[in-house]
Amino acid sequence: MKLLTSRLTIRHLRMVVAIVEEGNLVRAAKRLNMTQSAVTKALQEIEAITKAHLFDRTNRGVVPTMFGDTLAEHARLVITQLAHAEEHLADLRDGTGGRVAIGTLLSAAAELLPTAIARLRKERPKLVVKIVEGTNDVLIPALRAGELDMVVGRLSELRDRLNVVQEVLMDDIACVVARRGHPLAERTDLSLADLIGWEWILPPQETSLRRQIDIAFREEGLEPPPHAVDSVSLLTNRALLIDADYLGVVPAQVARREAALGAIVILPVTLQATAIPIGITTRTNARLSPAAEVLVETLRRTAQDLAQ
């Protein structure tokens, strides 16, 4: 009876997350520095407390039920919030440190975010910044799970469905780029129709920017490039652009930075359908840490300066 009326502990929550992420009791036990029998016994306790069947046992390991997935989702948030509480206390004691986990899209990675971080770390030299680069389909779930404090980059059109809050910082539009010396580099009268026959590097199909690029082609009565290299890796894309005659589409901030370095040029083609704001995305009803709040304010000031 005592078991059934007990409350879940942080140890229980960490265990559920480990089992879900490892998909195997042996690996979860190793990760938690426990024996498998101890993990099995604790899992039985958790299922008794929650009065729910959390995992199905299979030949390949364990698979979470909808109850297991739900508990793991809440467990991650609780664990993250506790970690944030420790960071908040340390930040309040010190005032020059803290920790911020930021998801960034390519549009903000070239100029806005690094400039803001450099400014902030002059004021808070002990600040620890974790940066995760990716696309919204990866970053937004990490944000909602509490693994990121914010996402900085092109704002998703799916805000209402994603249950997030967005703040616009500045406008952005994507540019078509090529290597310096490309056969099209000296043309001043280009249209999308002139670019159809070339090889392309484009963002993956699941990204908002790719959908907008496709719309830009179709608005001109053209089919988008069917066999493009799908990549958001700046290093890989730069190498392909410089070493071959590929065309690429990148956010304006990235294009201007790369063009200033002299390796690529921006072609005189407008992709109006890709015009979208850059901004900050945070969880709905989430309270940011003092360090994260200061970073948000620094991002605002930096965006204003870059827009001038």
Side-chain angles (χ1 to χ4, degrees):
M1 190 67 177
K2 181 179 179 181
L3 179 63
L4 292 174
T5 56
S6 298
R7 293 180 178 273
L8 289 173
T9 65
I10 293 300
R11 171 175 165 271
H12 288 142
L13 298 181
R14 293 186 190 280
M15 189 171 302
V16 169
V17 171
I19 296 172
V20 169
E21 293 181 352
E22 296 295 339
N24 181 285
L25 294 182
V26 175
R27 290 195 297 268
K30 184 176 181 180
R31 170 170 161 177
L32 297 167
N33 197 26
M34 298 171 62
T35 64
Q36 182 182 348
S37 59
V39 170
T40 300
K41 182 179 178 181
L43 178 56
Q44 291 170 348
E45 293 178 2
I46 298 168
E47 291 185 326
I49 293 168
T50 59
K51 298 181 180 180
H53 178 60
L54 301 178
F55 295 91
D56 288 325
R57 281 68 170 175
T58 71
N59 292 334
R60 296 185 178 180
V62 291
V63 178
T65 64
M66 65 176 181
F67 300 105
D69 275 331
T70 299
L71 182 57
E73 180 181 350
H74 288 282
R76 289 189 184 97
L77 286 173
V78 171
I79 293 167
T80 300
Q81 289 303 315
L82 281 174
H84 284 178
E86 294 175 2
E87 293 160 6
H88 290 190
L89 291 173
D91 192 40
L92 289 171
R93 287 194 300 268
D94 189 348
T96 62
R99 180 181 181 279
V100 185
I102 311 161
T104 181
L105 292 92
L106 185 60
S107 53
E111 193 168 22
L112 173 62
L113 186 58
T115 302
I117 291 173
R119 287 181 175 181
L120 181 56
R121 292 198 78 254
K122 288 182 180 179
E123 304 170 10
R124 303 171 75 99
K126 297 181 181 179
L127 177 69
V128 176
V129 180
K130 175 183 178 182
I131 299 176
V132 179
E133 188 170 343
T135 53
N136 269 327
D137 61 307
V138 175
L139 298 178
I140 296 300
L143 173 69
R144 296 173 65 185
E147 298 167 10
L148 299 174
D149 295 300
M150 66 188 77
V151 174
V152 183
R154 290 168 66 89
L155 299 178
S156 172
E157 316 102 309
L158 307 177
R159 177 183 60 189
D160 295 336
R161 288 190 235 168
L162 297 174
N163 193 30
V164 294
V165 177
Q166 295 180 341
E167 176 182 346
V168 175
L169 294 179
M170 58 196 304
D171 293 323
D172 189 59
I173 190 169
C175 300
V176 180
V177 297
R179 67 172 175 84
R180 187 170 297 280
H182 189 284
L184 298 176
E186 303 302 323
R187 294 273 302 273
T188 59
D189 57 343
L190 290 174
S191 67
L192 276 183
D194 298 317
L195 312 184
I196 286 296
W198 297 91
E199 295 291 330
W200 288 78
I201 310 166
L202 297 174
Q205 292 282 355
E206 62 271 15
T207 63
S208 297
L209 180 55
R210 179 61 173 272
R211 290 191 291 270
Q212 293 157 1
I213 293 169
D214 289 353
I215 290 171
F217 275 92
R218 292 191 173 110
E219 285 179 346
E220 297 292 326
L222 305 168
E223 281 300 309
H227 304 298
V229 175
D230 290 355
S231 170
V232 291
S233 169
L234 184 57
L235 290 175
T236 300
N237 295 357
R238 182 191 292 128
L240 284 171
L241 286 169
I242 293 174
D243 295 341
D245 284 337
Y246 280 91
L247 303 179
V249 178
V250 295
Q253 284 194 38
V254 178
R256 289 194 295 267
R257 176 64 64 92
E258 292 295 306
L261 295 174
I264 68 168
V265 296
I266 300 173
L267 300 183
V269 177
T270 301
L271 299 173
Q272 191 58 43
T274 67
I276 195 170
I278 292 176
I280 303 167
T281 303
T282 54
R283 294 189 305 279
T284 302
N285 300 322
R287 182 177 179 180
L288 293 176
S289 69
E293 288 178 348
V294 175
L295 176 59
V296 168
E297 184 55 41
T298 306
L299 284 165
R300 290 169 180 154
R301 295 199 310 268
T302 302
Q304 290 176 352
D305 293 343
L306 292 175
Q308 292 178 356

